[in-house]
Every structure is written in C-alpha cells, then in structure tokens.
Amino acid sequence: MKPTLLFASLTLFWLTLLVGVTQAQNDTFAPIRNAIRSGSSQELAQSFGPAVEISFDGDRKGYSATQAEAVMKDFFAKNAPASFDFVHSGGSNDGKPYAVGKYVSKSGAYRMFVKMKPEGGRPVINAIDFTKE
C-alpha cells in the first residue's frame, strides 16, 4: 500500500472514531439539555443517580434523587430558563462524562457543571454545580 493511501486510510479511521465518540457524548447529554432548557425538574430527575450533589456558588449539599428533584424545581421556579446550552463536554480519565454549560435566566447567568457516573449500565447525574456569573 502506498504511504499516501495508508495515511489517508488511517486519518479517515481516526476521524470516524472521533465523530462517533463525540456523537455518543452528545446523545448522553441531549435529554439533560432538553430538560434544563424547558425548566423541567421532573425530566431532569430521570437522569439522576440515587444520590446527587447540588452546589450553588460553592455551597454543596448531598440529596436523594427525590430531594434533588425538589431542589431543582425550586431553582427553576425562581430562575426560569431564558436559554441554556452545553459549551463543552468530555470525559474524565476514568471515563466519567461531564459537561459545562451556560444557564441564563431573567435573574442572571450561571456557569453549570454536570458530572455523571455509571450506574446500572448507564450514565447518571451525580453532581450539578451552579456558579453565578
């Protein structure tokens, strides 16, 4: 095989692999993004693990999934979403997905960090951090 053809083949292989990994991460965060955009704590809670840490400007507390849903319902009621999108997503060295987003409400903007971990064969949210900008 000619070196140019080999290089082109390897490049195509790696690009295909990269697109597949990126698409998988986007699929992981799509229902979360949609729930946050609509301000639906009920939809968001479908992605919660059994325990969720929620932090507002560094004040971190642990909750059961049911309690975390109530905390998010209260947050959305006080800070209804005007816009939301993830600006970056990736995975930790041990493969746990995470995403960073920008949440904008009429009362202000927040940097949002969502961390996930595998639970029962699927990734679930185990931490959400809000930092007011």
Side-chain angles (χ1 to χ4, degrees):
M1 189 178 267
K2 289 185 174 184
T4 307
L5 184 58
L6 178 63
F7 178 75
S9 296
L10 287 173
T11 302
L12 181 60
F13 170 76
W14 286 112
L15 285 174
T16 302
L17 183 63
L18 180 63
V19 167
V21 168
T22 302
Q23 185 63 38
Q25 286 179 344
N26 288 341
D27 290 346
T28 299
F29 288 102
I32 297 167
R33 179 181 45 250
N34 294 338
I36 295 168
R37 280 182 179 168
S38 65
S40 174
S41 60
Q42 187 175 19
E43 285 179 40
L44 184 60
Q46 293 175 10
S47 296
F48 286 167
V52 182
E53 288 185 351
I54 300 177
S55 170
F56 296 100
D57 292 321
D59 183 20
R60 180 179 303 276
K61 293 184 181 167
Y63 301 97
S64 70
T66 304
Q67 291 170 322
E69 180 181 352
V71 169
M72 291 307 304
K73 182 176 183 175
D74 184 57
F75 176 79
F76 289 143
K78 292 176 181 174
N79 304 281
S83 68
F84 174 77
D85 212 347
F86 286 118
V87 295
H88 174 75
S89 65
S92 65
N93 290 338
D94 56 354
K96 295 177 184 172
Y98 68 85
V100 179
K102 182 162 184 164
Y103 182 90
V104 179
S105 72
K106 290 181 182 178
S107 61
Y110 294 85
R111 173 77 51 189
M112 188 175 178
F113 186 63
V114 178
K115 294 185 276 186
M116 303 181 85
K117 71 175 187 177
E119 183 81 35
R122 71 181 184 102
V124 295
I125 296 172
N126 72 319
I128 301 175
D129 299 326
F130 289 92
T131 304
K132 192 148 179 131
E133 294 185 330

